[in-house]
Amino acid sequence: MNIRPRINRWTKARRDLNFDLSIKSSLVQPHFVVSGEGIDETISSMPGINRQSVDKLLDTISKDMELGIKSHMLFPVLDLEDKDSYASKASNMDMPLQRAVKQLKSLYGGDIVLLTDVCLCTATDHGHCGIIHNDEIDNEMSVSELCNIALSHAKAGADYISASDMMDGRINAIREVLESEGYVSTGILAYSVKYASSFYGPFRDAACSAPSFGDRGSHQMDIRSGYSEAILEAVTDEGEGADIIMIKPAMTYLDVVRQVSDVVSRPVAVFNVSGEYSMVLSSSPDEDSRKQMVREVLHSFKRAGADVIVSYHTREAVSRDWLD
Ligand code: PBG
Ligand code: ZN
């Protein structure tokens, strides 16, 4: 079974994220998880966002939960010595991301929505989103490793496996693995319409995931491509069993968000990416101007048709009560 409409309704927190029309309920806070203990390091290109070890992450998320931020996206950041050409550590249950998910789920159960980024680029020594074979990213080898990672996140208790790799057929393959292992309530958020954008720079600093050679043009979408390609990607992922369809970046592709959300039946998410976040921060001199800009940006996502908004602005917008 590829299509399981119950997944988005499984818990109240999932229903609030996907179906409540308010901006606050739509927001997802991203986090970067590192190894070690007591680590809470700032990321110079992303003021306000830190890389944290599991203990510090739990403190941060507990404060977020008190503020009413119930949805969280976790990105693993691996130590250099844990990286190899096959991303083999990414699916290890003892890694910080898997441990964090397990602990958060035992603390909050169905009251939290945990989305976990599944890609190879944070775990490969070359920084590519796939496994390289004969000097090319091998689609099938990459998909099989993505399935191992997805399964480890499901075992830890993730609500949504968030596939950000852009390999062909990965949603179908991940769904089959989840089904065969009995994870019938684990959702899949597909980064369906992900462009090879120049707005990911600060993230790659944060996650230490910049490719050491070449670029991501062979799998991420061409910034010049039209609506038909975006719709093809979205509809394909929906047919393969994606529970949420993501468009990324957000601000430069609002027209695409509208086109896709008019066509698909599943909830649509946007990723308000790191470069967009930094752009707003660097062009707003004080809190009031930042508030005005962030509100305008978030409303534009809603107007374009976004149900779910992944944004680094989440914590500040919620904690300072900027939203109606
Ligand atoms: C991993 C991934 C990236 C982002 C999310 N998941 C970077 C990339 O594709 O290079 C970007 C997020 C951001 O810029 O905030 N594939
Ligand atoms: Zn990647």
Side-chain angles (χ1 to χ4, degrees):
M1 195 153 23
N2 277 52
I3 313 285
R4 287 189 178 269
R6 284 190 61 205
I7 285 176
N8 288 337
R9 307 172 198 140
W10 208 270
T11 62
K12 179 174 186 303
R14 288 190 195 178
R15 296 192 293 276
D16 289 345
L17 172 66
N18 286 302
F19 306 123
D20 192 281
L21 296 177
S22 71
I23 289 178
K24 184 174 171 180
S25 302
S26 314
L27 288 169
V28 178
Q29 173 69 42
H31 304 266
F32 295 96
V33 194
V34 296
S35 68
E37 224 178 296
I39 294 173
D40 197 351
E41 42 183 41
T42 56
I43 303 161
S44 57
S45 52
M46 298 182 74
I49 305 294
N50 288 9
R51 274 188 290 253
Q52 298 184 304
S53 52
V54 177
D55 55 329
K56 292 286 181 184
L57 177 77
L58 296 188
D59 293 346
T60 300
I61 290 185
S62 127
K63 289 184 195 123
D64 287 346
M65 293 292 284
E66 276 169 38
L67 291 169
I69 302 167
K70 302 288 169 72
S71 300
H72 301 270
M73 183 173 269
L74 307 187
F75 293 94
V77 183
L78 273 73
D79 295 332
L80 219 58
E81 60 265 29
D82 285 332
K83 300 190 186 199
D84 60 28
S85 50
Y86 294 98
S88 44
K89 275 282 172 73
S91 57
N92 188 316
M93 290 306 289
D94 298 325
M95 294 298 279
L97 181 123
Q98 282 83 348
R99 284 193 287 115
V101 170
K102 212 169 168 181
Q103 293 187 41
L104 287 163
K105 272 290 157 181
S106 74
L107 283 168
Y108 303 107
D111 295 336
I112 195 168
V113 182
L114 288 178
L115 306 98
T116 54
D117 193 75
V118 169
C119 197
L120 304 189
C121 54
T122 54
T124 50
D125 48 15
H126 45 65
H128 280 288
C129 304
I131 288 170
I132 295 184
H133 185 62
N134 294 337
D135 296 329
E136 284 185 333
I137 295 183
D138 186 284
N139 196 83
E140 274 48 56
M141 289 169 81
S142 305
V143 168
S144 108
E145 196 49 41
L146 289 163
C147 287
N148 294 335
I149 303 172
L151 181 59
S152 76
H153 292 187
K155 281 183 180 158
D159 287 275
Y160 290 95
I161 305 301
S162 306
S164 70
D165 54 282
M166 291 299 280
M167 295 299 119
D168 293 333
R170 87 276 206 218
I171 302 302
N172 187 54
I174 292 172
R175 177 63 75 207
E176 274 182 6
V177 169
L178 295 177
E179 289 285 317
S180 71
E181 299 286 329
Y183 292 98
V184 297
S185 66
T186 307
I188 304 175
L189 179 152
Y191 286 67
S192 301
V193 184
K194 179 175 179 180
Y195 291 90
S197 170
S198 54
F199 284 85
Y200 306 150
F203 174 95
R204 291 179 189 171
D205 285 350
C208 311
S209 64
S212 57
F213 59 90
D215 57 32
R216 306 218 199 284
S218 82
H219 44 105
Q220 296 183 353
M221 286 171 58
D222 193 303
I223 59 157
R224 300 164 296 185
S225 61
Y227 298 143
S228 56
E229 178 121 346
I231 289 169
L232 169 73
E233 289 282 3
V235 168
T236 301
D237 285 352
E238 189 170 45
E240 290 183 20
D243 301 284
I244 301 177
I245 303 294
M246 171 106 93
I247 291 119
K248 177 184 162 187
M251 289 166 68
T252 41
Y253 298 94
L254 289 175
D255 55 334
V256 177
V257 177
R258 168 47 62 202
Q259 295 288 328
V260 168
S261 63
D262 281 349
V263 170
V264 300
S265 312
R266 313 323 297 278
V268 166
V270 291
F271 200 132
N272 180 205
V273 299
S274 57
E276 299 174 328
Y277 173 74
S278 306
M279 201 164 62
V280 165
L281 291 201
S282 59
S283 47
S284 50
D286 54 34
E287 188 197 321
D288 190 58
S289 57
R290 201 159 63 246
K291 169 181 170 177
Q292 303 306 335
M293 287 179 87
V294 169
R295 282 171 50 85
E296 197 170 337
V297 165
L298 296 178
H299 277 285
S300 77
F301 300 155
K302 275 285 164 196
R303 196 166 53 238
D307 302 293
V308 172
I309 301 170
V310 182
S311 176
Y312 302 99
H313 295 296
T314 296
R315 185 176 300 115
E316 186 170 35
V318 173
S319 65
R320 295 195 196 268
D321 213 11
W322 288 350
L323 308 169
D324 308 315

